[in-house]
Every structure is written in C-alpha cells, then in structure tokens.
C-alpha cells in the first residue's frame, strides 16, 4: 500500500488506525548487546562522536550521521564531502545513504554537487519524502529546498591532485604536468575511500550511514555502491548491519551488504559473514579486467558489520586493513580479517 493510501485509509477508519508512533523502547524479544559503533579506518572521530550521542540515549541514526559529518567537513579527507577528489571534469560529486533499523526506512542521494553533507540530505530524503534515492540536479534542488547552502567543495589541494592527474594522462595532448609536482595523483587513483558508520544504540536498535566522493576522476554521473541500499549499506534491525568501502562496481554486482546481513541471519559471526562475502565477490570477478596476471583480483573491498548482540567484525579481500570500533569504553583501530595478504 502506498503511504498516501495508508493515510487515506487511516482517515476513513478513524483514530483506531493511525500510523504507529516509532518508540525506540519497543524492544523485540531478541537478546541485544551493549551499544557499539563501528566505522572504516578514517572513522575514529566518527565512532567517538556516534558513541557520545548514543550514550545520551539518542537514536543510533543521530549518532552515526553526526559522526560522519565530522569527516565530510574535513578538507584533509580526500574521499568524502568537502575536499573529496573530483570527477574527470574537476567537479566533486558525492554519494550517500542512510538506513534506520527500527523503521526499516532508508534514504539516499547520488551525484550531488555543491553540498557538503550528503548524509544529512540522505536522511531528509528518508524522513521528508516518499522516495529512497534522489540523484544529480534533483538532489541538489531538494537539498536547497531544505535550506542547504551551495558551496564549492573542491579544495585547492584536491584541485592540484586532479590537475596533476589530468596533465599526466597522455604525452600526446596539450596539458603538461609540472616538472616536479610534489603531490602525484597515482596514490589517489583507484584508491579513494569512503566512510561508513554503524551504531547499536541503548534501545538495541541499529542504524547506519555511508558517504563518499566515490572513485577519484570518475566519469561524471558515475554512481558507486555507497548510496545504494543493499550494496554500500544494509540493516536488518532483527539481525545486524553491514557497511562497505572499496571498489563500488564489484560490490554493486553482488549487493554485498545485504548478502553479509543474510549470512549473519544464517548464524555467521560478523567477521565470518564479511569474509564469506569477500570470497563470493572474488568468485564472481570473472572478467579479465578485474584480474591481475596471477589470477587474483586487482581491486579491494572491505566490509564492516555488527550484529544485534553487539558483536562486530570486518574483512577485506586484501588485508589487513583497519577499522574503527567504539564499545563505550575504548575507541580504537583494529585489523580486518582478509583473504589475501597485501
Ligand atoms: N565505494 C566507493 C565507490 O565505489 C569508493 C571507495 O570506497 O573507495 O564509490
């Protein structure tokens, strides 16, 4: 039933049939663990912030979004928000999604330009529209409708990295790289990051968010896994949650966060579920452009997961990589499990 129809039906039925108010203390019969927040390696400040908010007895979604906003606003993180690396035209395009476990609701924006905090816009898509995903100009227009200000997101440093990439593309064009460019693009090419942050709150409810500037120097309009529910993020409030970073294309072909949560539903621990997902992706990476000469994949992906019991884990195709974890007592980086040693 469409939401609109539901409202109509509710009006006909009268006060007995109103939308049930979300009550975070409506705990299910499932045993729940202590609050926890997990994030990618760039997310220590995010897990810290998320836990502070969770400990104030707020909804996990408030915590994780406030957490990733710190990284979105940081000009020195070139993988997210302000300071993110641009597309091939030198324009920053951002992707984000969020999911709220207790209502199983989700919102997302993709290819949004000039808005620093796409995660906040994703939340508004979830809470203030009947849609899940809004892209491009529509997403920008929607954000402005809600009072977001347009800003230039390309920092001078990100512009120089992009320019160095453009000037080094070919020896047969009219663009010459600076003789001794200090910052080379190679270290950023194909290895941008993303931040994902998942939280289990004091009510036993789980929410999460993923936000990114995507693949550096991408074709304009390219959308990766990060704003796609089931790929860059998935939550089932009865089971657990998964978020991801890394090569979005291979994640998209496997809807890998959904898969990871399903593996946890089948009884796997968060770490084992993440590892099994990595193995499935490697099995499915059949085309030659995804393989090295030795037959191994030429890309990486990392999955981060928590379950309802407050257990956590992460795994990468190539590792170990790091992930941030706050269990209410410590806020530290741990190493992921992995298939191949990097
Ligand atoms: N997953 C992101 C994307 O493909 C990029 C990354 O995490 O490195 O857009």
């Amino acid at each position: 039933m469409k939401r609109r129809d539901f409202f109509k039906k509710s009006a006909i039925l009268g006060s007995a049939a109103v939308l049930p108010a979300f009550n975070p203390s409506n705990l299910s019969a499932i045993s729940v663990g202590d609050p926890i927040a997990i994030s990618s390696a760039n997310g220590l400040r995010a897990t810290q912030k998320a836990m502070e908010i969770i400990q104030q007895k707020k909804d996990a979604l408030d915590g994780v979004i406030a957490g990733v906003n710190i990284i979105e606003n940081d000009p020195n993180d070139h993988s997210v928000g302000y300071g993110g690396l641009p597309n091939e035209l030198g324009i920053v395009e951002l992707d984000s999604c969020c999911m709220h476990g207790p209502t199983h609701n989700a919102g997302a924006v993709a290819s949004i330009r000039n808005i620093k905090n796409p995660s906040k816009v994703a939340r508004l898509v979830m809470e203030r529209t009947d849609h899940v995903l809004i892209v491009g100009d529509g997403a920008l227009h929607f954000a402005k409708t809600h009072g977001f200000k347009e800003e230039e997101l390309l920092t001078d440093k990100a512009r120089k990295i992009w320019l160095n990439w453009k000037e080094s593309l070919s020896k047969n064009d009219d663009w010459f790289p600076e003789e001794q460019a200090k910052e080379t693009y190679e270290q950023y090419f194909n290895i941008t990051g993303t931040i994902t942050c998942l939280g289990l709150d004091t009510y036993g409810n789980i929410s999460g968010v993923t936000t990114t500037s995507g693949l550096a120097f991408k074709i304009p309009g390219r959308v990766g896994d990060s704003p796609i529910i089931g790929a860059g993020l998935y939550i089932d409030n009865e089971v657990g949650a998964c978020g991801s970073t890394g090569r979005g294309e291979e994640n998209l072909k496997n809807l890998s966060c959904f898969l990871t949560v399903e593996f946890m539903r089948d009884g796997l621990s968060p770490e084992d579920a993440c590892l099994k997902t990595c193995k499935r992706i490697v099995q499915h990476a059949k085309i030659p452009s995804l393989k090295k000469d030795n037959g191994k994949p030429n890309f990486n992906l990392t999955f981060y997961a928590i379950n309802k019991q407050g257990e956590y884990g992460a795994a990468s195709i190539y590792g170990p990589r790091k992930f941030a974890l706050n269990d209410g007592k410590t806020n530290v980086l741990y190493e992921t499990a992995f298939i191949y040693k990097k």
Side-chain angles (χ1 to χ4, degrees):
M1 191 189 325
K2 286 203 69 152
R3 200 173 66 176
R4 214 163 280 119
D5 298 336
F6 184 93
F7 281 124
K8 272 193 219 143
K9 197 163 179 219
S10 304
I12 294 164
L13 292 175
S15 59
V18 290
L19 269 179
F22 163 60
N23 177 358
S25 59
N26 277 347
L27 288 182
S28 67
I30 301 163
S31 75
V32 294
D34 290 333
I36 197 165
I38 192 171
S39 182
S40 35
N42 54 350
L44 259 187
R45 286 173 294 163
T47 47
Q48 180 67 36
K49 183 74 182 176
M51 185 53 70
E52 275 166 32
I53 291 176
I54 285 172
Q55 285 177 335
Q56 290 162 17
K57 306 250 177 280
K58 296 208 174 121
D59 192 304
L61 190 65
D62 296 327
V64 294
I65 289 188
V68 301
N69 289 162
I70 298 171
I71 317 301
E72 286 176 330
N73 293 339
D74 181 352
N76 295 317
D77 190 314
H78 295 302
S79 68
V80 182
Y82 178 61
L85 290 180
N87 65 19
E88 66 178 17
L89 301 177
I91 302 166
V92 179
E93 290 181 335
L94 305 177
D95 299 335
S96 179
C97 73
C98 67
M99 195 158 181
H100 184 235
T103 50
H104 204 74
N105 205 1
V109 287
S111 277
I112 187 171
R113 298 178 175 184
N114 299 348
I115 300 292
K116 221 178 198 173
N117 299 119
S119 59
K120 285 187 184 171
V121 187
R123 182 176 190 164
L124 282 170
V125 172
M126 178 178 88
E127 291 178 342
R128 304 286 290 274
T129 78
D130 200 19
H131 307 317
V132 172
L133 173 61
I134 305 181
V135 307
D137 287 347
L140 173 61
H141 182 260
F142 173 76
K144 286 164 70 179
T145 304
H146 279 277
F148 284 77
K149 298 276 173 288
E150 279 197 74
E151 290 172 73
E152 175 56 79
L153 303 182
L154 188 69
T155 57
D156 220 36
K157 186 161 176 217
R159 183 186 57 76
K160 283 182 180 153
I161 296 167
W162 167 77
L163 189 60
N164 186 238
W165 167 78
K166 186 168 176 57
E167 290 173 336
S168 311
L169 274 179
S170 165
K171 291 195 168 48
N172 300 321
D173 65 17
D174 299 333
W175 294 77
F176 300 142
E178 209 180 345
E179 267 305 296
Q180 287 168 324
K182 284 207 181 80
E183 196 76 54
T184 59
Y185 74 88
E186 270 119 359
Q187 60 178 306
Y188 297 101
F189 190 58
N190 257 334
I191 53 160
T192 63
T194 290
I195 182 166
T196 185
C197 189
L198 315 169
L200 172 67
D201 63 27
T202 55
Y203 306 102
N205 288 319
I206 306 169
S207 287
V209 61
T210 300
T211 176
T212 190
S213 52
L215 206 58
F217 323 130
K218 60 195 172 189
I219 294 175
R222 176 267 187 190
V223 173
D225 56 332
S226 305
I228 305 300
I229 297 298
L233 176 73
Y234 190 71
I235 291 159
D236 185 319
N237 202 42
E238 304 286 289
V239 179
C242 178
S244 79
T245 61
R247 183 177 156 83
E249 280 71 7
E250 295 329 295
N251 181 349
L252 279 168
K253 293 174 199 168
N254 293 280
L255 275 185
S256 312
C257 283
F258 177 79
L259 184 66
T260 307
V261 172
E262 290 305 298
F263 286 151
M264 290 194 286
R265 188 193 306 281
D266 290 345
L268 290 192
S269 70
E271 183 178 289
D272 287 348
C274 292
L275 204 51
K276 192 166 176 181
T277 295
C278 289
K279 288 179 182 159
R280 173 74 63 84
I281 292 166
V282 172
Q283 272 169 12
H284 281 169
K286 298 177 198 286
I287 54 177
S289 60
L290 297 174
K291 288 179 190 284
K292 297 186 195 177
D293 290 345
N294 62 9
K296 289 182 182 171
N298 61 10
F299 61 89
N300 205 4
L301 270 162
T302 301
F303 297 93
Y304 314 82
I306 57 175
N307 66 17
K308 191 83 171 169
Q309 289 71 43
E311 295 166 334
Y312 60 87
S316 315
I317 296 176
Y318 289 97
R321 290 179 64 91
K322 298 259 173 28
F323 68 98
L325 197 278
N326 192 314
D327 60 4
K329 296 175 206 81
T330 57
N331 189 51
V332 283
L333 288 175
Y334 288 104
E335 289 192 341
T336 64
F338 55 89
I339 306 178
Y340 305 114
K341 198 161 177 63
K342 50 169 194 202

